[in-house]
Amino acid sequence: MGAYILRRILFMIPTLLGIMIVNFALVQFVPGGPIEQILSQLDQQTSATDRIAGGGSEVATGSSQYQGAKGLPEDFIKDLQKQFGFDKPPLERFLLMMGNYLRFDFGESYFRSIKVTDLVLEKLPVSITLGLWTTLLAYMISIPMGIRKAITDGSRFDTWTSAVIIMAYAIPGFLFAILLLVVFAGGSYIKWFPLRGLTSENFDQMSWFGQAKDYLWHIVLPVLANTIAAFATMTLLTKNSFLDEIKKQYVVTARAKGLSEGRVFYGHVFRNAMLIIIAGFPSAFIAIFFTGSLIIEIVFSLDGMGRLGFEAAVNRDYPVLFGTLYVFGILGLFVNLLSDLTYVWVDPRIDFESRET
């Protein structure tokens, strides 16, 4: 197992490098970079000033590659390029970036004047909160319910829970989040939970028990809104996986040998059926942890990693964009490795040593 883990870790290096190369190459063709945005804003301010003053003096910079550079000196544009590092060829910029990233030096945000590492550390607790609590709650509900639905397939319990699951899957997460706000956060009905944020303003003055209570009070609605889609998908996946195993020949044979239903189910069926659920854990975790939390963070005014990455992409804040992408990539790869190790824990018959990575 040690050799397999080492091979997987070594294989992460070219995988992560490929992710960064593809995204860096795509960014080179995206219009409206950070320099062009700054130049456009300055040009608009200059044009407005000229109109007020009644002047028409413009410095021609027709040779500039930036559309927003009209009326701005060429030297000023070159200084901006040097400041942002765009005076170097793309290949050189990429190599310098990856050299810094190996030391986890992500540079400084273009527009916030703060290190990307500090930004990530500041926003990460919000995403960790949403991701871990949502994943934990979804699995704690979905797996027992899915198993019960498989055992009682076709019963009244299976029918009415299926109706609830279909409705939960059909409701978009952001719509459910808004509904929770309207009903339970003082929108139009009752105010049991706070409207926004992860903690109260006087959080630092509270006791440890008060802080824990305040923290849990704030995360109830965001976690519920984030859990609904994951809960529905995971429940159906669990049920179908166990139904497939229950119908197999080895279950019939085990029952024919006189084994009890509990021994058959938890000694044989459970171990095999859980493999497909574990296989889907990495993608489900990454989706909940990063992608799925973006809209929830916006609705509940939570300042997390999903919102940070989205704003960086809109504002063309490349150090933040690539820094968060690098962190996401590393976490995703290690979660996949953790999934494989969990395979062995659930079913020791699996031998990754004989597998080619």
Side-chain angles (χ1 to χ4, degrees), residues 334-346:
F334 272 101
V335 167
N336 275 283
L337 175 60
L338 179 62
S339 176
D340 285 351
L341 297 180
T342 312
Y343 271 152
V344 179
W345 177 68
V346 174

Side-chain angles (χ1 to χ4, degrees), residues 40-334:
S40 297
Q41 293 175 3
L42 291 175
D43 184 58
Q44 290 174 7
Q45 295 174 4
T46 303
S47 300
T49 304
D50 289 343
R51 284 195 299 269
I52 293 173
S57 58
E58 290 188 347
V59 180
T61 56
S63 60
S64 175
Q65 59 176 316
Y66 299 104
Q67 296 179 2
K70 183 179 179 182
L72 296 172
E74 188 73 28
D75 292 340
F76 176 74
I77 299 169
K78 290 181 179 179
D79 289 340
L80 276 180
Q81 288 179 316
K82 187 175 182 179
Q83 179 182 347
F84 287 105
F86 287 98
D87 57 329
K88 301 178 179 66
L91 179 59
E92 184 178 351
R93 295 204 313 268
F94 178 77
L95 293 177
L96 287 172
M97 181 184 74
M98 292 307 299
N100 292 330
Y101 281 15
L102 290 176
R103 304 191 303 271
F104 287 90
D105 179 10
F106 303 128
E108 189 175 286
S109 170
Y110 285 159
F111 306 109
R112 304 194 188 193
S113 298
I114 183 174
K115 289 185 176 180
V116 176
T117 306
D118 294 337
L119 272 175
V120 171
L121 293 177
E122 178 186 344
K123 314 299 182 186
L124 198 57
V126 175
S127 295
I128 290 177
T129 293
L130 288 177
L132 289 182
W133 283 108
T134 299
T135 305
L136 180 63
L137 185 61
Y139 272 73
M140 287 179 62
I141 297 174
S142 302
I143 293 179
M145 183 178 291
I147 294 174
R148 176 72 183 278
K149 285 173 66 62
I151 296 175
T152 61
D153 183 41
S155 65
R156 292 180 61 183
F157 173 82
D158 181 44
T159 302
W160 71 261
T161 53
S162 294
V164 173
I165 290 170
I166 291 172
M167 288 189 293
Y169 185 77
I171 300 175
F174 76 92
L175 186 61
F176 188 61
I178 295 173
L179 178 65
L180 291 176
L181 283 178
V182 171
V183 176
F184 298 107
S188 299
Y189 297 92
I190 53 181
K191 190 175 182 179
W192 287 351
F193 300 97
L195 188 61
R196 60 175 61 87
L198 195 61
T199 56
S200 300
E201 293 181 358
N202 61 336
F203 183 78
D204 294 334
Q205 284 75 43
M206 298 179 182
S207 64
W208 68 268
F209 179 77
Q211 289 181 342
K213 182 180 177 182
D214 183 73
Y215 166 78
L216 293 173
W217 183 48
H218 278 77
I219 68 171
V220 169
L221 296 187
V223 169
L224 283 178
N226 213 24
T227 302
I228 183 168
F231 145 75
T233 304
M234 187 59 60
T235 302
L236 292 178
L237 177 64
T238 303
K239 176 190 175 182
N240 294 333
S241 176
F242 275 83
L243 279 179
D244 288 342
E245 292 297 324
I246 290 174
K247 296 175 182 178
K248 290 184 178 179
Q249 184 62 41
Y250 75 89
V251 176
V252 177
T253 304
R255 286 170 174 167
K257 289 182 177 180
L259 296 179
S260 64
E261 284 296 314
R263 180 74 180 276
V264 171
F265 194 82
Y266 291 103
H268 299 278
V269 174
F270 183 84
R271 181 174 59 184
N272 295 326
M274 285 297 294
L275 289 177
I276 190 172
I277 300 171
I278 294 172
F281 173 77
S283 58
F285 177 79
I286 295 299
I288 293 172
F289 197 74
F290 302 118
T291 312
S293 64
L294 170 60
I295 297 177
I296 303 301
E297 289 175 10
I298 293 174
V299 172
F300 289 97
S301 299
L302 301 174
D303 205 3
M305 291 288 288
R307 189 173 180 179
L308 176 66
F310 173 75
E311 292 177 351
V314 171
N315 298 325
R316 305 294 193 268
D317 197 345
Y318 293 149
V320 177
L321 179 63
F322 288 119
T324 53
L325 178 66
Y326 187 80
V327 173
F328 290 173
I330 290 177
L331 288 176
L333 292 171
F334 272 101

